[in-house]
Amino acid sequence: AQSVTQLGSHVSVSEGALVLLRCNYSSSVPPYLFWYVQYPNQGLQLLLKYTSAATLVKGINGFEAEFKKSETSFHLTKPSAHMSDAAEYFCAVTEGNQGGKLIFGQGTELSVKP
Amino acid sequence: NAGVTQTPKFRVLKTGQSMTLLCAQDMNHEYMYWYRQDPGMGLRLIHYSVGEGTTAKGEVPDGYNVSRLKKQNFLLGLESAAPSQTSVYFCASSYSTGRFDSPLHFGNGTRLTVT
């Protein structure tokens, strides 16, 4: 069965520092992987997705993620954090043969210090 | 351009009461989903639908029922609310690519408290 593990429920960085949010997945078939962001009192918005094309995926707001099959990872990075990046981030996985079931990780709350 | 609209935004129920949460989307999406969000647990799929008139169980379906009588609407029902159903409920929709890799569009959530 597919599953997602996000390492670290809270991550704190200084403004301008590198952002690294970790995600490991388990899937019996090649997965589709997603990162979503949630700002306070809002629904989730798509940051980026991996669907078996390029392994390095670029998303909105300067974020990118790299699919590493050997490590079953899909970590999210941003070279320089901005105050507006403070939010909760969710990694999610689906398998193409699972009829649309998207499974989310537990979430990582990102804080950005001035 | 409304996207995904959830009603109500907030609700307080007593144990044993029933209620229906309504989700409406105006993007002509085939797929619709109901998730619940609890602290430290991410989002968990309750039920989903891949087309009008069809529904399927997700990870945590017990205590909930759904209906998709019209393509644009997906209703989530609680027949007899329990305190364990206190949560934030999100509806989402996506278009059909045949591969289930299309992104989800989320509503802004319904905060439900069961006392």
Side-chain angles (χ1 to χ4, degrees):
Chain A
Q2 54 191 344
S3 66
V4 172
T5 301
Q6 291 184 239
L7 301 176
S9 57
H10 290 91
V11 170
S12 181
V13 300
S14 297
E15 193 171 19
L18 171 72
V19 175
L20 171 60
L21 305 182
R22 300 176 187 274
C23 172
N24 287 89
Y25 70 91
S26 172
S27 176
S28 57
V29 299
Y32 301 134
L33 293 158
F34 305 79
W35 275 100
Y36 283 84
V37 60
Q38 184 181 31
Y39 299 103
N41 299 313
Q42 294 186 24
L44 280 69
Q45 304 170 33
L46 180 70
L47 270 180
L48 50 80
K49 68 175 183 179
Y50 166 77
T51 57
S52 75
T55 56
L56 182 62
V57 181
K58 294 189 184 300
I60 62 172
N61 301 336
F63 284 93
E64 62 182 36
E66 186 172 10
F67 173 70
K68 292 188 177 180
K69 184 179 179 180
S70 61
E71 298 177 8
T72 61
S73 68
F74 190 57
H75 301 332
L76 182 70
T77 60
K78 182 174 181 178
S80 177
H82 192 273
M83 296 296 291
S84 61
D85 294 327
E88 189 154 21
Y89 292 79
F90 292 92
C91 183
V93 64
T94 188
E95 297 170 347
N97 61 353
Q98 290 297 309
K101 290 163 64 175
L102 190 65
I103 305 300
F104 285 86
Q106 305 92 319
T108 298
E109 185 174 354
L110 175 67
S111 300
V112 182
K113 299 175 291 186
Chain B
N1 191 6
V4 178
T5 303
Q6 292 183 233
T7 52
K9 290 184 171 55
F10 303 94
R11 186 70 185 268
V12 178
L13 288 179
K14 295 187 188 305
T15 298
Q17 288 184 319
S18 63
M19 77 164 294
T20 300
L21 281 67
L22 172 64
C23 176
Q25 53 95 4
D26 62 0
M27 296 172 283
N28 201 33
H29 285 169
E30 288 290 337
Y31 306 150
M32 296 188 75
Y33 313 82
W34 275 107
Y35 286 89
R36 59 177 289 173
Q37 182 178 26
D38 302 291
M41 303 189 74
L43 278 78
R44 292 180 292 168
L45 183 63
I46 304 171
H47 286 280
Y48 65 104
S49 168
V50 297
E52 181 179 319
T54 70
T55 62
K57 294 180 179 179
E59 294 175 85
V60 288
D62 293 343
Y64 305 95
N65 56 76
V66 288
S67 64
R68 184 103 180 266
L69 299 179
K70 293 183 179 181
K71 185 178 183 178
Q72 64 267 33
N73 296 336
F74 195 30
L75 278 63
L76 177 70
L78 286 73
E79 290 187 348
S80 179
S84 60
Q85 294 178 303
T86 294
S87 187
V88 181
Y89 291 85
F90 285 98
C91 177
S93 69
S94 64
Y95 59 86
S96 170
T97 66
R99 300 185 305 167
F100 305 106
D101 63 342
S102 59
L104 271 60
H105 296 256
F106 282 84
N108 285 335
T110 295
R111 188 173 296 275
L112 175 65
T113 301
V114 183
T115 61

